[in-house]
Amino acid sequence: MRGFSVASAAAAASLFASTVVAQVDPIVISGSKFFYKTNGTQFFMRGVAYQQDYNGNGTSAGATTSTQNSDAYTDPLADTAGCMRDIPFLKQLRTNTIRVYALDPTKDHSECMNALADAGIYVVADLGSPGNSINRDTPAWNDGLYARYTAVVDSMANYTNTLGFFAGNEVSNAPNNTQASAFVKAAVRDTKQYIKTMNYRTIGVGYATNDDADIRVNMADYFNCGDAASSIDFWGYNIYSWCGDSSYSDSGYDVRTKEFSTYSVPVFFAEYGCNNVEPRPFTEVAALYGDEMTPVWSGGIVYMYFQEANDYGLVSISGDTVTPNQDFKNLASQLAKVTPSGVQSASYSPSNSAADCPATGASWAAVATPLPPSPNHELCACMYNTLGCVVTPATSEDDYSDLFGTVCGYGDTICAGIAANASTGTYGAYGMCNATEQLAYAFNQYYAAQSSGASACAFNGAAETKAPSSAGGACSSLLAEAGTAGTGTVTSVPSGTGAGSAAGGSSGGSGSGSSSAASSSAGAGINSVPSVESGLLPMAFMIVVAMVSGMGMIVL
């Protein structure tokens, strides 16, 4: 995205069952194309990014630490008045798709979604939010993020104009942070499985990438390769290489089109609209929807509807008044000229195959397999309850990095169960738990190695002893899979979303009262675990864990 410088599942099902939902023909995927489900006509996006006062996933250049950690955003689909105000203008642009970057799953979206459906407008929704998404610098895929992502799915799945979800946006954007892509691909895998487990209609899960020359081919191949259950259903490309009156070749559109001509899933521009020349003439529209590109690309999404400080807006908003600018008029004129021709699903036979996985090296750090383990709230809660040494409630998150560095330095086995290294594919069974659970696990490993001596559970007041619970029933089975060293492979899948934590916008996982649905099948005795963090592990800890595991992370 362009910045200034660049409840439980059951409760959710009950809520949406009682909501009157406007029905439109769902969009389905076959091979590398989108189709209307009923009549089989190929679907091309004529899209607009639609979210005010939003600056990306918390990792954009120029953002301060406080901005990166903030989860403040305005849900555009919960703003009914704004939605009704803007739909007539979206229709003037012949919009059939909007992209929204962060939704509040606890809010009601029915009025806006129904109005969009009546206007023939579909929605592609990002699953994260500014403070609850996979961070490129400290990547993690944990039970809190899983709760956030699946809660968004719950809130949107029953609208037939929900076209799909993005599991990440520009997370890896340079060779030195490509290991973060493993965590995003794990999120794709688990979100797809959740949609299937919940018996929702098939809704695609994809990824939106930036246009970085050093990694763009490896990025596209990595997310498309391997098991279909773990790979993306569609690929969004944020591309700003056509500026002013450029051309098909000068912009590099010709090369990008050739690169994706053999891609096995739909590709589209998840953002476009370079503003180096103003007002923007949008001459790329003719190319994007023309004969050279439509065999490969499924249209695109213009960045963006609202005029803000980054100067990409199509309209200015003042209260209830919408004022289209010249960019809006130019885009409307260009879109009015195009009528992309496609194929009918009945006559289309997909022939493209999944890509080969990229090899690791100087420009790519994430191994293809295995991916990080699936977040499992039950496992983390079961583990925590059996510990005899845990983190004190008064311990500050600011101290976690130093504490991880201290305890993990006491021996190679102490932190093996919480290791997460995408460059070698080595993951501890508890690497997807929240940081409080992980730190407690490490404290307890040291405590047990010291024969449970009281002095071994001190850490200058950061740790305290508690009475451990005995694991029985489902907990016993889960912990047996993880193994005594925490390095086993847990094959049991999560039983719920833990949406209680996501409801409040937190990704504290089991530490924020999220155990209601998630723990229902794990047996009695699973309690809430204190958590003071939002799922983004301290960088110093990530380095320590990589070193303890004998594998150096790429840190530049």
Side-chain angles (χ1 to χ4, degrees):
M1 165 174 194
R2 301 306 257 191
F4 297 110
S5 58
V6 234
S8 73
S14 174
L15 169 65
F16 296 114
S18 64
T19 301
V20 177
V21 177
Q23 299 291 312
V24 295
D25 198 7
I27 303 301
V28 297
I29 296 171
S30 177
S32 60
K33 303 185 186 303
F34 292 111
F35 294 96
Y36 290 98
K37 182 178 180 179
T38 301
N39 64 24
T41 301
Q42 188 174 349
F43 178 83
F44 292 93
M45 291 184 186
R46 295 189 304 273
V48 176
Y50 185 75
Q51 186 134 17
Q52 198 163 15
D53 298 324
Y54 191 76
N55 193 35
N57 66 352
T59 57
S60 58
T64 65
T65 300
S66 60
T67 299
Q68 291 175 5
N69 293 334
S70 171
D71 200 38
Y73 62 93
T74 300
D75 181 342
L77 302 187
D79 178 7
T80 301
C83 188
M84 301 305 178
R85 175 199 65 205
D86 295 331
I87 285 176
F89 293 91
L90 292 170
K91 290 174 68 174
Q92 289 180 40
L93 294 171
R94 300 178 65 212
T95 302
N96 65 10
T97 307
I98 61 171
R99 178 183 177 184
V100 294
Y101 293 89
L103 298 178
D104 184 342
T106 68
K107 292 185 176 180
D108 179 18
H109 304 117
S110 57
E111 289 191 63
C112 183
M113 287 298 291
N114 288 343
L116 289 167
D118 289 340
I121 297 175
Y122 296 81
V123 175
V124 179
D126 289 53
L127 294 169
S129 65
N132 277 298
S133 56
I134 298 169
N135 187 297
R136 68 174 68 109
D137 296 322
T138 55
W141 175 234
N142 57 33
D143 52 3
L145 290 174
Y146 180 83
R148 158 75 199 185
Y149 282 36
T150 54
V152 174
V153 171
D154 287 339
S155 73
M156 297 293 289
N158 284 352
Y159 299 109
T160 56
N161 58 326
T162 297
L163 190 154
F165 302 105
F166 281 129
N169 179 68
E170 299 187 5
V171 179
S172 294
N173 66 351
N176 67 312
N177 56 41
T178 54
Q179 71 278 358
S181 288
F183 299 88
V184 182
K185 193 168 181 179
V188 171
R189 174 200 64 202
D190 293 338
T191 305
K192 290 173 63 169
Q193 180 59 47
Y194 179 77
I195 291 169
K196 184 177 180 180
T197 299
M198 294 299 292
N199 291 316
Y200 292 135
R201 66 179 175 86
T202 301
I203 308 173
V205 181
Y207 177 76
T209 185
N210 66 309
D211 182 29
D212 186 282
D214 293 330
I215 62 172
R216 59 187 169 209
V217 173
N218 282 337
M219 284 284 294
D221 289 349
Y222 179 79
F223 278 92
N224 182 237
C225 75
D227 183 2
S230 301
S231 59
I232 42 97
D233 295 314
F234 53 77
W235 188 247
Y237 205 6
N238 299 342
I239 183 168
Y240 293 84
S241 60
W242 187 306
C243 302
D245 291 319
S246 189
S247 69
Y248 183 56
S249 57
D250 289 345
S251 65
Y253 278 22
D254 57 341
V255 180
R256 304 289 83 77
T257 300
K258 183 177 180 181
E259 287 171 352
F260 283 100
S261 62
T262 59
Y263 214 59
S264 65
V265 299
V267 294
F268 57 92
F269 287 1
E271 292 176 3
Y272 74 95
C274 170
N275 68 353
N276 288 354
V277 176
E278 295 184 303
R280 293 178 285 179
F282 286 109
T283 50
E284 66 265 49
V285 167
L288 179 58
Y289 297 96
D291 292 342
E292 289 180 298
M293 296 188 69
T294 51
V296 174
W297 301 92
S298 294
I301 299 171
V302 170
Y303 188 79
M304 86 105 53
Y305 183 75
F306 299 98
Q307 176 69 312
E308 295 178 330
N310 58 10
D311 204 28
Y312 277 91
L314 299 171
V315 305
S316 296
I317 306 291
S318 178
D320 295 330
T321 302
V322 179
T323 305
N325 60 24
Q326 191 60 47
D327 282 13
F328 180 101
K329 297 170 185 176
N330 291 345
L331 179 61
S333 175
Q334 292 290 346
L335 287 169
K337 299 175 185 177
V338 298
T339 306
S341 59
V343 299
Q344 288 294 120
S345 59
S347 59
Y348 171 62
S349 297
S351 58
N352 293 346
S353 301
D356 293 330
C357 294
T360 56
S363 61
W364 191 256
V367 297
T369 187
L371 294 173
S374 298
N376 192 316
H377 171 85
E378 294 93 333
L379 173 63
C380 296
C382 289
M383 174 271 288
Y384 182 89
N385 288 343
T386 64
L387 303 181
C389 179
V390 297
V391 184
T392 61
T395 301
S396 171
E397 179 185 4
D398 293 338
D399 296 328
Y400 275 29
S401 180
D402 289 340
L403 290 167
F404 274 120
T406 297
V407 67
C408 292
Y410 286 147
D412 291 350
T413 62
I414 300 296
C415 290
I418 57 174
N421 192 295
S423 297
T424 60
T426 303
Y427 302 99
Y430 304 114
M432 49 71 203
C433 299
N434 68 50
T436 301
E437 293 162 335
Q438 291 189 25
L439 185 55
Y441 172 83
F443 281 170
N444 192 76
Q445 287 291 95
Y446 177 74
Y447 175 65
Q450 300 301 310
S451 303
S452 302
S455 62
C457 186
F459 292 92
N460 293 321
E464 64 183 6
T465 59
K466 75 171 183 66
S469 300
S470 298
C475 276
S476 179
S477 299
L478 285 168
L479 295 175
E481 289 185 39
T484 55
T487 55
T489 300
V490 177
T491 58
S492 302
V493 298
S495 64
T497 67
S501 69
S506 166
S507 67
S510 58
S512 301
S514 62
S515 61
S516 56
S519 64
S520 60
S521 70
I526 295 180
N527 304 312
S528 286
V529 181
S531 175
V532 297
E533 50 80 41
S534 60
L536 303 179
L537 299 183
M539 188 60 174
F541 163 60
M542 298 297 291
I543 297 171
V544 167
V545 171
M547 292 173 64
V548 167
S549 303
M551 318 129 200
M553 271 182 92
I554 297 176
V555 182
L556 299 177

